[in-house]
Amino acid sequence: MIPFSVLDLSLITRGGSVGDAFRNTLDLAQRADDLGFARYWLAEHHAMPGIASAATGILIGQVAAATRRIRVGAGGVMLPNHSPLVIAEQFGTLETLFPGRIDLGLGRAPGADQRTARALRRDPHAPERFASDVVELLQYFEPAAPEDTHMIHAIPGMGLRVPVWLLGSSLFSAVLAARLGLPYAFASHFAPGQMAEAVSLYRARFEPSARCPAPHVMLSVNIIAADDDAQGALLATSLQQYFIALRRGRPIAFPPPVADTSGLWSPAEQAMVDHTLSCTFAGSARSITPRLRDFIARHEPDELLVALPVHDHGLRCHALELTAEMQAVLATGSRIGS
């Protein structure tokens, strides 16, 4: 069975604090480590009232220090917000502190609204240099050649070959990942529209490299697993409210679920949410498992990256445990509860 990993935005919930979000992240990561998940990734977002993982590299270091086995990484760092050398040094530092456990996923989006993006990037043309910046960053992780006396070196970073992934929600990064011979992760948990086309294009155009000899695809999904379908559907209203607020341009702290959503958004907004969150699996483990099996059979990912957008941390941990149980069922062909 394919590996399952966790995507954590370090959710700031309504009624909670940033400190609570960080403590919940560390607790969830330790549970994911104990349950055998392959990776624990954190994502760079800025000026978002519901997301605490803005200083992504710092939080990755804290999670890696609090866990024993699980790989920890960025899903991802938004490279146009940064100098490639700075990211090479940061992740070279992390790899030196936690050898063999650090991943670096790179994205091209700002991870913010346009005004915040301007404050972050200063240079409005930074996204246009994404491909060349990725190549520059990869070079910083290579060993120094004797003739490279005039080259800039990332110290730490040089020679460490930190695993680099490209992330995307469109065709651009799929083509670039294929050309550079890098593993590819698609953000299907919130932008599923071009998933099938992007994955097909990546696999068709992939050029093997020393870093990745064959195409390697990770797809992200939301899993909101609960003890029964009714509770799962209730918990999913938190994510629906969150995305409606985001699309209205008024981001909020991650809200608690509501029993009745009538009048909270328009039919057009409901259609938008249904499309945006079509790779969301909410309900009991018994009902989610066959749908998850069908999703994996249809798209054939090499790995699955699972976001757990649940307001209550205890119920989020329970969703994680149920997800681990579902993975075991999918691996063995047994039944939930057997």
Side-chain angles (χ1 to χ4, degrees), residues 182-197:
L182 296 175
Y184 178 57
F186 192 88
S188 33
H189 67 295
F190 74 89
Q194 292 185 295
M195 174 181 61
E197 186 179 1

Side-chain angles (χ1 to χ4, degrees), residues 179-251:
R179 177 166 64 84
L180 296 178
L182 296 175
Y184 178 57
F186 192 88
S188 33
H189 67 295
F190 74 89
Q194 292 185 295
M195 174 181 61
E197 186 179 1
V199 170
S200 177
L201 194 62
Y202 167 73
R203 287 175 170 151
R205 296 193 181 184
F206 185 82
E207 300 178 21
S209 70
R211 284 180 165 272
C212 190
H216 192 94
V217 172
M218 178 187 287
L219 297 179
S220 57
V221 298
N222 299 300
I223 293 185
I224 305 172
D227 288 335
D228 56 57
D229 287 343
Q231 187 184 31
L234 173 65
L235 296 179
T237 62
S238 293
L239 187 61
Q240 294 168 347
Q241 293 174 77
Y242 185 78
F243 265 92
I244 292 290
L246 198 60
R247 293 301 171 93
R248 288 174 177 173
R250 298 191 295 272

Side-chain angles (χ1 to χ4, degrees), residues 32 91 113 132 181 207 231 276:
F91 279 78
D113 61 81
S132 60
E207 300 178 21
Q231 187 184 31
T276 299

Side-chain angles (χ1 to χ4, degrees), residues 263-289:
L264 295 182
W265 48 76
S266 69
E269 288 174 324
Q270 181 67 59
M272 178 276 297
V273 164
D274 290 344
H275 171 73
T276 299
L277 302 180
S278 61
C279 292
T280 297
F281 299 85
S284 67
R286 186 179 297 275
S287 68
I288 291 175
T289 301

